[in-house]
Amino acid sequence: MIQTPYLLFLGDAPDQLAAKVAQGIKDWRPENAVGQFRMEGCKADMGLADMSLKEAKAAGAKTLVIGVANRGGIISQEWKKVLVMALEEGFDLASGLHNLLREEADLVAVAEATGQQLHDVRIPDVDYPIANGIKRKGKRVLAVGTDCSVGKMYAALCLDKAMQERGLKATFRATGQTGILITGGGVPLDAVIADFMAGSVEWLTPDNDDDHWDIIEGQGSLFHVSYSGVTMALIHGGQPDALVVCHEPTRDHMRGLPGYSLPSIKQVEDMALTLAQVANPNCKVIGYAINTQHMPEADAKAYLAEVEAKHGKPATDPYRFGSDALVDALADMT
Amino acid sequence: MIQTPYLLFLGDAPDQLAAKVAQGIKDWRPENAVGQFRMEGCKADMGLADMSLKEAKAAGAKTLVIGVANRGGIISQEWKKVLVMALEEGFDLASGLHNLLREEADLVAVAEATGQQLHDVRIPDVDYPIANGIKRKGKRVLAVGTDCSVGKMYAALCLDKAMQERGLKATFRATGQTGILITGGGVPLDAVIADFMAGSVEWLTPDNDDDHWDIIEGQGSLFHVSYSGVTMALIHGGQPDALVVCHEPTRDHMRGLPGYSLPSIKQVEDMALTLAQVANPNCKVIGYAINTQHMPEADAKAYLAEVEAKHGKPATDPYRFGSDALVDALADMT
């Protein structure tokens, strides 16, 4: 686990989009973000207090999180000056970049000298078991998508937030780098060795109270030929009791695969449910999380009504219109 | 690629079963096996000439293959004496053990000094790409199973042999350690990092002649919760034109999963075909490879007739009764 709270490092971000990780932390775990650290020329702003390292330390920050991706995902010399100073000030560092902190000899040397931790959430730091398929206590809901990047993480975080607000027992379980940095822990599933994928998901979602829900972040899609194996491991390792099908209606082909059209919601629902019932015969689809960010509000609402009418279960854009109907369905199951 | 032919190292194998890898090489690539090397107390015998290292070298052997697994999969001190001598005699070493050759400092030192290669086929030695899903030339057939270890590798090797005998263009594509040692190359799919699984299968089965068949060794099962992600990557990365469904009729639960019953042949066929058609809309199931080793011949033949009648496609035990009907079906597709 990464120590919280964080100081968010925005570096020399060329625009707001480049600071996606920082944005996620600020949106979903604002209590984890003490302030932001921006270098000269930084074009991103989380609306947090700009702090020096010393100020952030005094305010209680324990880890400097690299909340920005620069071109090529590398750690630049300009960044390093700040990172080295942060270690010397007593911060741990956390990063989801492909260029690992531990690959940089100078950072490793300073971390050792200062006794601070380098957290590379890009790759696992646990020896996961092979999945045993044994039924676990507690409940689990998994987001599955018609495609990659259709809003599965946001849907899961929305559910988590809504359940916390209702006083229900729930834990968001991160399976990707951004989710891990947001919450401080999880499994970087895309970097796990094939044989241990499903086992890592079992490890992430252990026995729990009967009325506790693990809200498992989805990855990939059963219909995305590059990443479907990862999705499969989530379905079997997660042994979900409930599935939420996620979809982005304006996309004209699978992400990164120009020749591949998206499956229908129905196709994903049927396939995911059949496979999920191998591990959990009682699994059911409780509804649909539709990412309507590219649709005007009236169109979005009409589309959601259409999905509900067609499939007979609640459909919402949980980020835009809330997730009450989905939370109701989960609450009904415990 | 591992240099052939081999001297098969049987070590101090406690029984014939422990020498499964050597047996596979001897059964499927006898031309790759110059002889066998047995230590005192060895209880396995491939029926090959017993040779000293010098004799095998003189007979043309280039690689000493560890054809045996001892308890715990470790490289013992007794073995090491032979392995060091083999390197000094000018052999490369190849092993599929979890205990890697490269983890043994003494073997590494001698290999460097002698300029010989250490091949650990347990883990990949290639940086595989992420799958791009682009349609490739040539044909591919994939073995999919109702469970793990139901005979998918043997089915694929039988098809390969029968196709070679008919003069058809075919290549067996190994995706597991035993298959890699048998043929000298392949992808150790269970050890590939999640994001690159499907890409490694694309890499393994590249563009080829229109009338060439890649015969892809299957792994796991879509219905085996521990390994289904690997199977999924084979189906999408392999973009098969043809599927052969493999089954072992006497098994009473999924391998290693006592609470899990086997799916029906029909369930596997429907699921695998639907998923395969995402990557290759023309994919079809051509027939069934049934592992009848635990059934008397009359029962086996009755069972095969029953499967054929029920599913309307050829069913055979390719190892016991040949694979003509399956090869006919493949030949008809080119």
Side-chain angles (χ1 to χ4, degrees), chain A residues 171-183:
Chain A
T171 310
F172 172 77
R173 299 297 191 183
T175 61
Q177 283 78 14
T178 303
I180 295 171
L181 287 173
I182 289 174
T183 58

Side-chain angles (χ1 to χ4, degrees), chain B residues 236-303:
Chain B
H236 280 166
Q239 53 184 229
D241 302 275
L243 297 171
V244 174
V245 179
C246 302
H247 182 56
E248 203 280 72
T250 70
R251 203 166 283 188
D252 60 4
H253 64 74
M254 297 293 279
R255 189 174 164 90
L257 302 174
Y260 288 78
S261 56
L262 268 70
S264 69
I265 289 174
K266 178 83 166 66
Q267 283 176 295
V268 174
E269 167 164 354
D270 291 348
M271 179 65 70
L273 188 60
T274 304
L275 288 165
Q277 287 177 341
V278 171
N280 186 344
N282 297 320
C283 183
K284 58 184 192 177
V285 173
I286 58 156
Y288 311 96
I290 311 295
N291 176 351
T292 65
Q293 65 175 318
H294 299 302
M295 304 167 87
E297 182 160 335
D299 291 4
K301 289 192 166 166
Y303 185 85

Side-chain angles (χ1 to χ4, degrees), chain A residues 59-80:
Chain A
K62 296 197 165 60
T63 303
L64 181 79
V65 172
I66 299 185
V68 56
N70 58 5
R71 212 160 295 180
I74 61 152
I75 298 167
S76 70
Q77 284 305 314
E78 289 69 36
W79 285 17
K80 264 201 194 160

Side-chain angles (χ1 to χ4, degrees), chain A residues 3-7 34 51 54-63 91:
Chain A
Q3 285 201 83
T4 55
Y6 305 147
L7 174 63
V34 163
M51 290 186 178
K54 277 194 205 309
E55 286 165 348
K57 192 75 194 165
K62 296 197 165 60
T63 303
F91 286 89

Side-chain angles (χ1 to χ4, degrees), chain A:
Chain A
M1 291 292 294
I2 302 165
Q3 285 201 83
T4 55
Y6 305 147
L7 174 63
L8 302 184
F9 176 74
L10 307 187
D12 46 4
D15 53 39
Q16 192 77 1
L17 261 182
K20 197 182 78 166
V21 168
Q23 189 73 53
I25 295 168
K26 196 258 179 173
D27 285 351
W28 297 107
R29 292 291 184 273
E31 69 275 19
N32 283 355
V34 163
Q36 62 187 16
F37 185 104
R38 300 194 294 165
M39 291 165 56
E40 204 178 304
C42 180
K43 301 284 199 309
D45 184 354
M46 295 301 123
L48 296 168
D50 284 296
M51 290 186 178
S52 69
L53 294 170
K54 277 194 205 309
E55 286 165 348
K57 192 75 194 165
K62 296 197 165 60
T63 303
L64 181 79
V65 172
I66 299 185
V68 56
N70 58 5
R71 212 160 295 180
I74 61 152
I75 298 167
S76 70
Q77 284 305 314
E78 289 69 36
W79 285 17
K80 264 201 194 160
K81 291 176 198 163
V82 180
L83 302 184
V84 165
M85 279 192 294
L87 289 168
E88 287 169 347
E89 290 288 342
F91 286 89
D92 292 341
L93 302 182
S95 162
L97 297 175
H98 278 285
N99 181 171
L100 304 182
L101 297 168
R102 73 188 67 170
E103 288 169 349
E104 301 301 312
D106 41 1
L107 295 181
V108 171
V110 179
E112 279 176 9
T114 57
Q116 300 304 130
Q117 301 290 314
L118 302 179
H119 296 285
D120 286 303
V121 306
R122 174 66 43 191
I123 55 171
D125 54 5
V126 172
D127 285 332
Y128 303 114
I130 287 176
N132 62 29
I134 295 171
K135 177 74 183 154
R136 304 190 292 289
K137 287 181 187 163
K139 298 281 188 185
R140 284 155 202 88
V141 54
L142 172 67
V144 294
T146 53
D147 193 3
C148 298
S149 311
V150 291
K152 294 184 294 291
M153 184 184 78
Y154 266 57
L157 285 163
C158 286
L159 277 179
D160 175 51
K161 189 175 179 194
M163 292 181 83
Q164 306 295 347
E165 285 168 358
R166 285 207 205 172
L168 297 167
K169 294 184 195 169
T171 310
F172 172 77
R173 299 297 191 183
T175 61
Q177 283 78 14
T178 303
I180 295 171
L181 287 173
I182 289 174
T183 58
V187 168
L189 191 56
D190 63 6
V192 173
I193 287 173
D195 249 3
F196 305 100
M197 292 188 299
S200 75
V201 183
E202 290 188 348
W203 174 92
L204 181 67
T205 59
D207 273 323
N208 215 316
D209 296 343
D210 287 338
D211 58 346
H212 176 277
W213 281 93
D214 275 330
I215 304 166
I216 307 173
E217 181 190 356
Q219 295 293 338
S221 165
L222 288 171
F223 290 78
H224 194 294
V225 298
S226 309
Y227 307 115
S228 52
V230 175
T231 313
M232 185 77 258
L234 279 160
I235 290 174
H236 280 165
Q239 54 183 227
D241 301 275
L243 297 171
V244 174
V245 179
C246 302
H247 181 57
E248 203 281 73
T250 69
R251 204 166 283 188
D252 60 2
H253 64 74
M254 296 293 278
R255 190 174 163 91
L257 302 174
Y260 288 78
S261 55
L262 268 72
S264 68
I265 288 174
K266 178 83 165 67
Q267 284 176 295
V268 174
E269 168 163 354
D270 290 349
M271 178 67 69
L273 188 60
T274 304
L275 288 165
Q277 287 176 342
V278 171
N280 186 344
N282 297 319
C283 184
K284 58 185 192 176
V285 173
I286 58 156
Y288 311 96
I290 311 296
N291 177 351
T292 65
Q293 65 175 318
H294 299 301
M295 304 167 87
E297 182 161 333
D299 291 4
K301 290 192 165 166
Y303 185 85
L304 293 174
E306 188 188 312
V307 171
E308 291 201 351
K310 188 166 174 186
H311 299 280
K313 287 184 278 282
T316 184
D317 180 330
Y319 191 67
R320 192 173 188 177
F321 303 123
S323 50
D324 279 346
L326 299 176
V327 174
D328 290 345
L330 295 176
D332 281 350
M333 290 175 71
T334 46

Side-chain angles (χ1 to χ4, degrees), chain B residues 22 29 43 57 95 98 103 105 126 154 159 223 243 247 270 305 321:
Chain B
R29 292 292 184 274
K43 301 283 200 308
K57 191 76 195 166
S95 162
H98 279 285
E103 288 169 348
V126 171
Y154 266 57
L159 277 178
F223 289 79
L243 297 171
H247 182 56
D270 291 348
F321 304 122

Side-chain angles (χ1 to χ4, degrees), chain B:
Chain B
M1 291 293 293
I2 302 165
Q3 285 200 86
T4 56
Y6 305 147
L7 173 63
L8 303 184
F9 176 75
L10 307 187
D12 46 5
D15 52 40
Q16 192 78 2
L17 262 183
K20 198 182 78 166
V21 168
Q23 189 73 53
I25 295 167
K26 196 258 179 173
D27 285 351
W28 296 106
R29 292 292 184 274
E31 69 276 19
N32 283 355
V34 164
Q36 62 187 15
F37 185 103
R38 300 196 292 165
M39 292 165 56
E40 204 178 303
C42 180
K43 301 283 200 308
D45 185 354
M46 296 302 122
L48 297 167
D50 284 296
M51 289 186 179
S52 69
L53 294 168
K54 278 194 202 311
E55 286 165 349
K57 191 76 195 166
K62 296 197 164 61
T63 303
L64 182 78
V65 172
I66 299 185
V68 56
N70 57 5
R71 212 160 297 181
I74 62 151
I75 298 167
S76 69
Q77 284 306 315
E78 289 69 36
W79 286 16
K80 265 203 195 159
K81 291 177 198 164
V82 180
L83 301 184
V84 166
M85 279 192 294
L87 289 168
E88 286 169 348
E89 289 288 341
F91 286 89
D92 292 340
L93 303 182
S95 162
L97 297 176
H98 279 285
N99 181 171
L100 305 182
L101 298 168
R102 73 188 68 169
E103 288 169 348
E104 301 301 312
D106 42 359
L107 294 180
V108 171
V110 179
E112 279 176 9
T114 57
Q116 299 304 130
Q117 300 290 315
L118 301 180
H119 295 284
D120 286 304
V121 306
R122 173 66 43 190
I123 55 171
D125 54 5
V126 171
D127 284 332
Y128 303 114
I130 286 175
N132 62 29
I134 295 169
K135 176 74 183 153
R136 306 189 293 288
K137 287 181 188 163
K139 298 282 189 185
R140 286 155 200 88
V141 54
L142 171 67
V144 293
T146 53
D147 193 4
C148 297
S149 310
V150 291
K152 293 184 294 292
M153 184 184 79
Y154 266 57
L157 285 162
C158 285
L159 277 178
D160 176 52
K161 188 173 181 196
M163 293 181 83
Q164 307 294 348
E165 284 168 1
R166 286 206 204 173
L168 298 167
K169 294 184 196 168
T171 308
F172 172 78
R173 299 296 190 183
T175 61
Q177 283 77 15
T178 303
I180 294 171
L181 287 172
I182 289 173
T183 58
V187 168
L189 191 56
D190 64 5
V192 173
I193 286 172
D195 249 4
F196 305 100
M197 292 187 301
S200 76
V201 182
E202 291 188 349
W203 175 91
L204 181 67
T205 59
D207 274 323
N208 215 315
D209 296 343
D210 288 337
D211 59 347
H212 175 277
W213 282 93
D214 275 329
I215 304 165
I216 307 173
E217 180 190 357
Q219 295 294 337
S221 165
L222 289 171
F223 289 79
H224 194 295
V225 297
S226 310
Y227 308 115
S228 51
V230 175
T231 313
M232 185 76 259
L234 279 160
I235 290 174
H236 280 166
Q239 53 184 229
D241 302 275
L243 297 171
V244 174
V245 179
C246 302
H247 182 56
E248 203 280 72
T250 70
R251 203 166 283 188
D252 60 4
H253 64 74
M254 297 293 279
R255 189 174 164 90
L257 302 174
Y260 288 78
S261 56
L262 268 70
S264 69
I265 289 174
K266 178 83 166 66
Q267 283 176 295
V268 174
E269 167 164 354
D270 291 348
M271 179 65 70
L273 188 60
T274 304
L275 288 165
Q277 287 177 341
V278 171
N280 186 344
N282 297 320
C283 183
K284 58 184 192 177
V285 173
I286 58 156
Y288 311 96
I290 311 295
N291 176 351
T292 65
Q293 65 175 318
H294 299 302
M295 304 167 87
E297 182 160 335
D299 291 4
K301 289 192 166 166
Y303 185 85
L304 294 173
E306 188 187 312
V307 171
E308 291 201 352
K310 187 166 174 187
H311 298 280
K313 288 184 277 282
T316 184
D317 180 331
Y319 191 67
R320 190 173 189 177
F321 304 122
S323 51
D324 278 346
L326 298 176
V327 174
D328 289 345
L330 294 176
D332 281 350
M333 289 176 70
T334 47

